[in-house]
Structures are given as C-alpha cells and as structure tokens.
Amino acid sequence: MTDLLRPHAVATPVERLDGPAKVTGTAPYAFDHAVPNPAYLHPLQAAVARGRVTDIDTRPAEELDGVLAVLTHRNAPRLASDEDAELAILQSDEVAFRGQFLGAVIAETPEIARQAASLVRITVDEQEHQVQLRADHRQLYVPEEVNPTFPTDTSQGDVDLAARDAAITVDERYTTAWYHNNPMEPHSTVALWQDATLTLYDSTQGAHPVRTAIAPVLGLDPEQVRVIAPHVGGGFGSKGTAHAHLILAALAARELPGHWVKFALTRQQMFSLAGYRTPTIQRVRLAADHEGRLSGIGVDAVEQTSRFKEFAEQTGIPARTMYAARNRRSTHRLAPLDVPVPSWMRAPGECPGMFGPEVAMDELATACGLDPIELRIRNEPHVDPESGKPFSSRNLIACLRDGAHRFGWDGRDPTPRGRRDGRWLVGTGVASSTYPVHYIPGSAATVRYLGEGRYRVEVSATDLGTGARTVLAQIAADALGVGVERIELGIGDTALPVATVAGGSSGTISWGSTIVEAARIFRHEYGDNPSEGDEAAGTTPENPAAERFAMRAFGAQFAEVRVHEDTGEVRVPRLLGVFAAGRIINPRTARSQLIGGMTMGLSMALHEESVLDPRFGHIVNHDFAEYHVAANADVGALDAHWIDEDDPHVNPLGAKGIGEIGIVGTAAAIVNAAYHATGVRVRELPVTLDKFLH
Ligand code: MOS
C-alpha cells in the first residue's frame, strides 16, 4: 500500500525546520510561555514509603506573605474519578510511596512557594513497607496481561523437556537495573482554570492523550480542556502517560481562577513522580544441538509494580518472536511494592527483554564454538515463530552481515582475553536488535490551501526533539506534490485535529500516513489548482496487510570494549548499529534518533542505575551529580547505518519506527564485548568496574 512511490522531499536530509528557533531560544517550552498573573506551585511530598497522615499543620505556610493557597487532602475537592490511582491525588490520608504528593503551596513567587512548603508540618503514622524486588518475593503474582495488552504467559511445546534433552543448554539469570527517564526538560505544566475551561501549556508526548486522561478525573468533558505543547524537550516515555503533577496543577488552578499556575518538577522530584523502568530479573534458557540449532527458548521474568496501580512490563515479548525453536515459553511475574508506579521508558519490553536473551545467545555461541553471527543466522525463522505469519520484511541477517563488514568482524578470534593494548584488554561483541511496527489508528489531519502555492497542514502531533515537525512537513510536501517550503505545519495543540501519542515509535508512520490520506482527499476534491480556503480532512487509513503479516524492524549492534586490567575501568571506543527499518524519511534526523538510542543503551550498560535506599524507599542518587547519564567523554566513535529496505506492506510510507530500536541490544553487545575482552561474563547491569576485579 505504499503511496509515496516517487519521493522528493522524503528520504532527503532536510534540516530541522525548528532549528533556528531552538538555538536562538525562541521556541517556547511549556514553562516558557509568557502568561499574565502567574502563580507558582511547590508540592508537599511524603517522607515515608507507607503510612497514614495523621496531621498536617499548614498555618505557618498560610501566614507567609505571598502565599495564595495551600492544598492538602483535607481541603482538596473530590475528584470525579479515582479509576487511575496514580492520578487520584489528595483524596485520602494514605501514603503509598515515598515522594507521593500530599499537597501543594501556591504563591506569588517560586521562592515563596518553596519556603512555605518547607514550613508545613506533616505527621505520618508510618507502616511497614516493602520496596525491594526479589525473585522469591512472597507475593509474586500473575498479571492479567502485560503492557499494553499482550498475554502474560505463552507456551509452545515443552521447554523443560527440550532443555533436559539438549546437547547444549544455557540456563542463566540476568538482571537489569532500575532506570529513570531523564529528558532535558523536566515535566512542567502551566494551568489556567477559567469559565469552566482548563488550559494547559504542557510538556507532553501527546496533547490529546493528556486531555483524554485528565478530563474525567476533573469531571470535565474533553472539550473543556485545551492542551498546548508546541515544543517538548524529550520524554523517552515518561511524558507518554499523564502523571499526577497535572492533576495537582489543575486543582491549584481551580482554587485560583484567573491565575496561571506554573509547576515544573525539580530533577529530584522526577525520581518519584514521572515513571521509571522497572528492574527485571530474567531466567533465560536456551536449548540447542551441537551445531547451535535451537530447540528451546524460555524467558521467565520477574519485575516490580506499585501496590496501588499495576504496570506490567512486557519483558518476555521479544523472545517470543526473535529466533526459531519448536519449544518456547515466556512468563511474567510481578512483585507489588510500596514504590511509585513503573511506566514506559524507551523501548519498554524490547530493551530489557533483549538483554538477557542476547547475552545468552553469546554464551551459547561460546558453548557451541560458533561465531555469534553465524549462530543467529542458523536460527533465523522463516515465519514469525509466535503467530506463524510471514514477516512483511525481516532483514536481521542483512544487518548482521553489513555490520560485520563495516565493523571489521571477519577474522575475529573468538578466544577471550586474546587482545590487549598495554594494560587494556580489548574485545568485540555483537547483539541483535528489534522493535515492532506500531501503526496506530485514530489520528486526523486537515489540509487547507492558503493561496500563492502554500498549504496549511494540521495534526496535533508532538515533536519531542525527534524531528517530527520536519519529517511531517516532508511527508506533506510529497503527498501534495509541492516543495517543503510550501508547507505550514500545525502540531501540538488539542485545538487541532486529534493525534495519537508520540510513543511506541509510532508517530511518524501513523501521523504521516494520516497526512498522506488527507492530501489524497484534498487533491481528489480540488485537483492541482485549488482556490484559497479549500480544505479537506482525512483520518488514519486502515492497513489490511496488518492482519496478514508480522511487522518488525530489526538491527545489529556491534561494540568494541576496553577493560583496564588493574582498575576494571570500562570504555567503549566504538559502537556501530545497522538497522532495517523500512524507508528512512529523513537520514539526518533518523541518524540522530538511532545514535541517540545507542547512546542511551551505552548509558544503560555502563552508567545508569537508580539506587534504592530500602530503609526509606526512595532513590538516593536522584540528581545528575549521582545518576550519571552518558556524557560526551563517555561516548566514543558512534555510527548508525541502515540497509535499503522496501516494505510495501507496513503503511503508505513504507516506513517503520526508529525512535526506540537504537537502544535495543546495545547493552548486550557491550556485555558480550566485555566478555570477549576479559573472559568475565557479566549478567547484571550496569557493567561497573567492580565486576572485573576478583
Ligand atoms: Mo516511548 S517509551 O514508547 O514513549
């Protein structure tokens, strides 16, 4: 169903249309919007992980000059719905996690709000809490489904039997750490409640999804809520769902009609209020013959959720579809803890869920005496192992071969500890990557002729810094058969036609296909010589091929790792990713997405880890001084390539998503390279230096 057969703007490296506004500081982020009569909110937070508030003394705060209001569960209005327990704040005296909102101070300046908040005395009757994930947690339970709607457990054949009878087995436990999304722009919202309408300048991955989530909580019709988000400084999933700060700001705005209430989470507050990636404990089993042909694949994952609201990460999903094997199983178990609710972080499911299996594949290659690329090629399935459907396109092998060539893999001696440079042990490693094609229906777009060859195209999409604004303009230009400079694009506003969330690497393909449809209808109705004001609308076209095919992007990640023999210091001088993701709409922004994902994968492998204090239930390294995100000095030569992949089935653009696949497999490639360098197999992320010192 590919419509853009002869692309012009598409597939060219158009520079970001918002680049000048970004670098000159004129692109308004949520908190930047100049508003009359601002008020500033500072939250009150729980200092214990579980308990009941027995007293809140707000008088010292209320007596401070410049304080406009103090909200607690005692005076906050009843919410219209408590269905989403994360959003149902200030409705009772219960404390469900440390850092939970217990109230807010709103004042004329941020400084007064913060000082006043520090004067509020909160007394809590503390209860015993559980905050540590353990594989043998006594209350492990089986969720009904895993994110978003996958079956919790799947089984074909008998993995236990396959493992017992196999010539070679790998049966190991792998763990990934607790990670926090840390976009540059903290979660921020600016709220005005006036004439029964709530207006928000918000930092979000979806203006319409935010409105849909918060309107029922506040007892409003969606049409009474307007959300505006023209520029967003990253999200990585943490702004893909509505968090409680939106409700706190809205309640404050309702208390103070006519005031714009400004609320930006501090970096520290983000560590308890903006979601995070659950730690995972994965038992991975591979059963194979001497030639490395898999007869069994098993992944049993244990993860955490909060006790008050469930989030079940789909860690076992990639193992269901990655390699051929007659016997397979995947399971998910959740430990309910007194912690904030986990949520999406770049490639939920795929990212942690490819770590264990892709390290296990490396262990199997070693056990079989096989090159790890050859092992993967031998286990390439002819159809999707889970559904039995053919893949619309699957070019994992092409990525592995192309990457091997570019990286200089051929002739690699597989023996660990075989290469050194002075005191540095040097190794190389590889891992596969994959991410599903999420083509999401439900968006709408309009095309209006402005005269003089110019068109206005509107869809309430979000540009998180990914380049979506630029890429959508390219798609609109080709769909209308005009130059990119003729397109004026409107995005990020619920006053525009509805759009789905910027999540699941779905944005470009879903919104872009919607624009293609609107442009097709426009040309059908008005031809090539429209009159000023002519307008047409379209919705996301259905893709009947989605029923017939399994659709995924694939990739291969290569890493060179150096480990210092004396100190254990780990460096990654080289990372290479080769991807097969359908048509690449903009090579410039695509490359940024892919190397950005790979950098985040490097960061996950070596640096990032949210360290829990089990006594109090909070993350102790809750700032950039101690939660280290890879910086320039941590990143060596980094390169991303893609193969020409022509997939006529995925959508009218022939494109797959690229926002998330870059992070998938990177950590496994680094661990595999570290093993090759040192002979030490690390199965617990992050790969810190102590793991090499015996
Ligand atoms: Mo992304 S984690 O799908 O918002």
Side-chain angles (χ1 to χ4, degrees):
M1 65 181 293
T2 313
D3 281 357
L4 292 172
L5 287 178
R6 264 180 237 92
H8 294 280
V10 162
T12 65
V14 175
E15 289 177 8
R16 283 166 196 266
L17 303 178
D18 49 4
K22 289 266 176 79
V23 298
T24 54
T26 56
Y29 291 80
F31 207 81
D32 300 337
H33 285 92
V35 289
N37 213 9
Y40 297 86
L41 186 155
H42 198 89
L44 307 172
Q45 293 180 269
V48 305
R50 196 177 184 200
R52 254 171 214 291
V53 177
T54 53
D55 191 43
I56 298 192
D57 182 6
T58 56
R59 271 168 309 172
E62 283 154 351
E63 283 164 7
L64 206 64
D65 266 357
V67 169
L68 300 169
V70 182
L71 274 176
T72 70
H73 72 277
R74 292 187 173 161
N75 63 353
R78 296 306 89 190
L79 294 169
S81 164
D82 59 3
E83 206 173 311
D84 184 334
E86 184 184 0
L87 301 182
I89 52 167
L90 310 193
Q91 300 300 291
S92 82
D93 56 4
E94 266 180 77
V95 174
F97 63 93
R98 180 163 162 147
Q100 178 189 313
F101 288 137
L102 296 182
V105 176
I106 305 96
E108 286 166 4
T109 71
E111 292 81 6
I112 296 171
R114 191 168 190 148
Q115 191 202 347
S118 75
L119 300 176
V120 175
R121 293 283 159 251
I122 304 176
T123 314
V124 179
D125 180 11
E126 197 174 346
Q127 292 158 10
E128 216 181 297
H129 62 253
Q130 289 187 341
V131 293
Q132 265 179 314
L133 176 64
R134 299 164 53 106
D136 60 354
H137 191 281
R138 277 181 296 111
Q139 290 166 325
L140 283 188
Y141 73 96
V142 187
E144 270 180 36
E145 58 188 16
V146 294
N147 177 58
T149 54
F150 292 109
T152 302
D153 294 354
T154 59
S155 182
Q156 297 167 32
D158 188 333
V159 167
D160 296 322
L161 207 61
R164 206 192 62 200
D165 294 344
I168 299 178
T169 57
V170 174
D171 184 352
E172 296 290 351
R173 187 176 124 145
Y174 304 88
T175 61
T176 57
W178 184 330
Y179 297 103
H180 274 88
N181 318 48
N182 270 294
M184 288 291 277
E185 184 197 17
H187 295 60
S188 319
T189 200
V190 183
L192 175 72
W193 194 297
Q194 204 162 39
D195 307 328
T197 317
L198 175 66
T199 305
L200 295 176
Y201 291 107
D202 190 39
S203 183
T204 175
Q205 290 176 224
H208 277 86
V210 158
R211 168 167 110 164
T212 306
I214 69 169
V217 180
L218 298 165
L220 298 173
D221 293 328
E223 292 68 34
Q224 291 172 279
V225 180
R226 170 128 181 242
V227 180
I228 304 167
H231 298 280
V232 181
F236 306 115
S238 67
K239 297 171 185 170
T241 53
H243 296 295
H245 66 283
L246 290 161
I247 303 298
L248 194 59
L251 290 179
R254 184 147 78 181
E255 282 301 294
L256 299 165
H259 279 283
W260 285 91
V261 174
K262 303 188 83 168
F263 182 18
L265 292 186
T266 64
R267 186 62 58 181
Q268 293 193 342
Q269 288 162 359
M270 284 171 60
F271 280 77
S272 44
L273 293 157
Y276 62 91
R277 196 196 292 286
T278 175
T280 71
I281 302 167
Q282 311 170 21
R283 180 189 180 191
V284 179
R285 281 183 293 171
L286 300 177
D289 63 17
H290 287 291
E291 283 73 49
R293 288 200 172 75
L294 287 166
S295 57
I297 300 174
V299 173
D300 299 296
V302 177
E303 312 152 5
Q304 74 189 38
T305 182
S306 65
R307 209 189 287 278
F308 69 94
K309 176 183 172 182
E310 181 182 284
F311 177 81
E313 176 128 353
Q314 70 276 35
T315 310
I317 297 297
R320 293 177 185 175
T321 190
M322 214 41 214
Y323 300 111
R326 279 191 314 284
N327 304 286
R328 36 201 328 130
R329 77 179 230 143
S330 59
T331 66
H332 298 84
R333 298 296 176 266
L334 293 184
L337 301 177
D338 304 303
V339 294
V341 62
S343 185
W344 301 337
M345 185 165 170
R346 205 172 199 166
E350 263 70 20
C351 174
M354 284 287 275
F355 174 70
E358 287 300 306
V359 177
M361 285 295 277
D362 202 63
E363 302 206 48
L364 181 63
T366 303
C368 297
L370 264 181
D371 177 83
I373 293 178
E374 175 59 25
L375 174 70
R376 287 172 172 86
I377 291 171
R378 281 187 194 180
N379 290 292
E380 174 76 357
H382 298 296
V383 294
D384 173 27
E386 189 182 27
S387 65
K389 294 175 189 175
F391 287 98
S392 62
S393 56
R394 176 174 166 125
N395 283 297
L396 173 62
I397 294 179
C399 292
L400 287 163
R401 290 209 163 116
D402 185 66
H405 178 69
R406 291 175 186 276
F407 192 75
W409 185 268
D410 295 341
R412 170 184 183 263
D413 178 353
T415 319
R417 276 185 104 83
R419 244 176 93 195
R420 60 165 61 238
D421 177 7
R423 301 298 290 168
W424 292 93
L425 304 171
V426 184
T428 52
V430 67
S432 300
S433 182
T434 187
Y435 196 80
V437 176
H438 289 309
Y439 177 71
I440 304 182
S443 294
T446 53
V447 173
R448 191 168 77 248
Y449 187 58
L450 301 174
E452 295 173 359
R454 295 184 53 78
Y455 295 82
R456 172 131 180 119
V457 176
E458 295 184 338
V459 55
S460 181
T462 320
D463 190 331
L464 292 171
T466 53
R469 179 182 267 107
T470 307
V471 162
L472 293 179
Q474 291 174 261
I475 292 168
D478 281 7
L480 288 164
V482 301
V484 180
E485 71 289 349
R486 304 272 179 185
I487 304 296
E488 178 187 307
L489 194 71
I491 64 167
D493 189 339
T494 52
L496 303 176
V498 62
T500 50
V501 71
S505 300
S506 68
T508 298
I509 59 178
S510 307
W511 311 321
S513 299
T514 309
I515 289 174
V516 170
E517 178 70 0
R520 191 186 62 74
I521 293 169
F522 183 94
R523 285 286 182 241
H524 180 76
E525 284 182 16
Y526 304 110
D528 290 337
N529 292 303
S531 312
E532 193 177 326
D534 284 350
E535 182 168 332
T539 55
T540 318
E542 278 181 42
N543 183 6
E547 289 301 307
R548 288 189 286 129
F549 295 101
M551 297 179 175
R552 300 184 78 85
F554 290 90
Q557 304 262 12
F558 292 79
E560 181 178 318
V561 167
R562 295 157 75 91
V563 180
H564 197 276
E565 208 170 8
D566 304 316
T567 66
E569 184 184 355
V570 187
R571 306 294 297 167
V572 180
R574 264 198 314 151
L575 276 181
L576 168 72
V578 177
F579 302 93
R583 174 181 276 146
I584 298 300
I585 308 288
N586 182 326
R588 185 190 305 268
T589 54
R591 184 172 182 280
S592 291
Q593 283 293 288
L594 295 168
I595 64 173
M598 291 163 66
T599 304
M600 204 165 163
L602 166 86
S603 196
M604 167 196 191
L606 300 188
H607 309 302
E608 291 183 47
E609 177 180 22
S610 308
V611 179
L612 176 78
D613 186 332
R615 297 169 303 168
F616 305 107
H618 70 300
I619 300 301
V620 288
N621 56 338
H622 57 177
D623 56 42
F624 277 167
E626 297 187 84
Y627 185 95
H628 182 63
V629 175
N632 282 342
D634 300 308
V635 183
L638 185 59
D639 216 354
H641 294 268
W642 45 87
I643 61 163
D644 285 330
E645 184 175 71
D646 179 21
D647 189 328
H649 305 298
V650 274
N651 51 60
L653 305 170
K656 300 175 178 176
I658 51 165
E660 285 158 284
I661 190 168
I663 196 176
V664 181
T666 323
I670 288 170
V671 159
N672 297 342
Y675 170 78
H676 186 230
T678 63
V680 177
R681 180 63 71 181
V682 178
R683 301 189 182 91
E684 290 175 14
L685 290 181
V687 188
T688 42
L689 52 79
D690 51 294
K691 287 163 182 147
F692 300 98
L693 301 175
H694 296 281

